[in-house]
Amino acid sequence: MPYRVVKVKEAAANRSSQPQARQRRQRADAAQNVSAILQAATEVLSTQPEASVEDIARAAGLSRQTVYAHFPSREALLNAVADRATAEAVAVFEAAGLDEAPPAQALIRLLNAGWTVSARYPFLWHLPAVSTDEDVDRHGPVLERLLGVIRRGQESGDFDRTLSPGWLLAAGLAIGRTAEEEVKAGRMTIEDATHAAHHSILRLIGVHDPAPR
């Protein structure tokens, strides 16, 4: 093949690869920006629950326009942070070895892990109230694991079988919502509400609390 033809083909290949390389850089930059925004939101909102998008953008070292390019509203950003917390909780559950532990111990591990993650996102206790369906969607992966532990405990005879797993799950979710409402109303601290919800869920399912207050 003539040298000139080879060079022309190489030049054409380089031109075609440039847009792809640019797109990869743009995707990498976008992912980095999203990570920085979510981290900044977590840190800022933990001390300033009413912080604005501009406050979060400043903490992330980005413009407000960049934040809005990824999250069209403050609500969308808060939902993304809530999703991040849920994903973190699921990762903690996976590391807790729930399937290997006896049902009662698995339930205690699950609750403890959930409260540990919740403590890293205190502003989530102050998010605007949502419908039950939205709450279930938001905590879906967590609730699935709780339901699995309840079913396993009932099948093994460790948990009371009088009430269905679905009912116990719904009641547990209601306890969590009540704890949030008490915190929002200023009647309980996050620590007290966490303890009350933890103890109530264990009592509901019929598990002895190994460390009552």
Side-chain angles (χ1 to χ4, degrees):
M1 183 179 294
Y3 175 76
R4 184 175 181 181
V5 174
V6 172
K7 296 300 291 182
V8 169
K9 288 189 174 182
E10 288 179 351
N14 289 337
R15 285 196 300 272
S16 65
S17 66
Q18 287 175 358
Q20 296 176 356
R22 184 164 55 251
Q23 290 174 356
R24 286 195 295 270
R25 287 196 300 272
Q26 290 173 342
R27 286 195 294 269
D29 290 343
Q32 186 175 6
N33 285 343
V34 168
S35 179
I37 293 166
L38 293 178
Q39 183 60 35
T42 299
E43 294 173 358
V44 172
L45 292 169
S46 292
T47 56
Q48 306 172 53
E50 302 301 323
S52 66
V53 171
E54 186 172 358
D55 294 329
I56 294 169
R58 188 182 305 111
L62 300 169
S63 68
R64 185 175 59 178
Q65 289 74 16
T66 299
V67 175
Y68 277 121
H70 296 288
F71 305 100
S73 66
R74 185 176 185 274
E75 180 182 4
L77 175 54
L78 293 179
N79 286 336
V81 177
D83 290 342
R84 186 191 198 200
T86 298
E88 185 176 329
V90 170
V92 173
F93 296 157
E94 295 295 339
L98 301 181
D99 293 337
E100 291 75 30
Q105 186 61 41
L107 177 61
I108 292 170
R109 287 184 187 179
L110 186 151
L111 293 176
N112 285 339
W115 303 133
T116 298
V117 172
S118 177
R120 290 200 283 270
Y121 296 85
F123 62 91
L124 293 179
W125 289 80
H126 299 279
L127 289 180
V130 297
S131 69
T132 300
D133 288 343
E134 290 175 311
D135 206 13
V136 169
D137 288 341
R138 176 178 291 172
H139 299 98
V142 175
L143 297 177
E144 287 176 7
R145 280 159 179 76
L146 176 56
L147 183 61
V149 172
I150 293 172
R151 283 175 172 162
R152 185 158 65 90
Q154 288 190 332
E155 290 170 359
S156 67
D158 290 281
F159 299 166
D160 186 3
R161 300 180 185 178
T162 305
L163 301 173
S164 71
W167 172 266
L168 293 173
L169 183 68
L173 183 59
I175 289 172
R177 289 172 66 91
T178 299
E180 289 182 6
E181 290 169 2
E182 291 299 295
V183 170
K184 289 175 183 175
R187 290 187 290 266
M188 297 181 77
T189 64
I190 291 177
E191 181 182 1
D192 288 341
T194 296
H195 172 78
H198 179 102
H199 185 66
S200 298
I201 291 173
L202 292 180
R203 289 286 299 274
L204 170 71
I205 297 174
V207 176
H208 172 67
D209 189 346
R213 181 175 293 182

